Amino acid sequence: PRFRNYSGGNLFSIAVPENWRELAEGDSITFAPEGGYGAVQGAFVFTHGTQVGVAQVNGRSLRQATDEYLYNLSQGNRNLRRQSAYQSERVAGRDGLSIVLSNVSEANGEREFVTIYTTQLRNGGLLYLIAVAPEREYRSYQRVFQRIVTGMQVND
């Protein structure tokens, strides 16, 4: 796919497929293709795409901060299950982590894979990128997700 640039204020810039919509919600922004997002019982959900945001966490190390973020994320979704151990990654040109989770989509009841990428900001915040696709389509999205993560830039 062809990509377009998006600027997250002064904090980050990211390149996403040009046919993905940007959907801002609270302190995060989601990029998803048409049909890859919606509302379930008044809550925003997405089945395909990525979400970028910053979480304020207490963990001092990247691993502790990511553990805390995952714990908080799982409190709102009891179907999240770890599918891998943490992997060292380059996230926006920095040291980062990734972990693959499985989930049952609230939108359609299908099994999906969720990869969480994290890196720490200087102020202690945790920059995260969530990549989601149904299990049956995940492999075809992996290359796009990897390009988004490696091409992201952080300005802090």
Side-chain angles (χ1 to χ4, degrees), residues 27 53-58 65 68-69 72 121 123-128:
D27 292 337
V54 176
Q56 298 306 317
V57 292
N58 295 318
E68 183 179 336
Y69 175 71
N72 293 338
L121 301 174
N123 68 5
L126 185 73
L127 179 74
Y128 64 84

Side-chain angles (χ1 to χ4, degrees), residues 6-14 29 52 127 152-155:
Y6 175 86
S7 177
N10 294 327
L11 182 59
F12 70 92
S13 61
I14 190 169
I29 186 153
V52 180
L127 179 74
M152 186 166 54
Q153 295 179 346
V154 177
N155 309 311

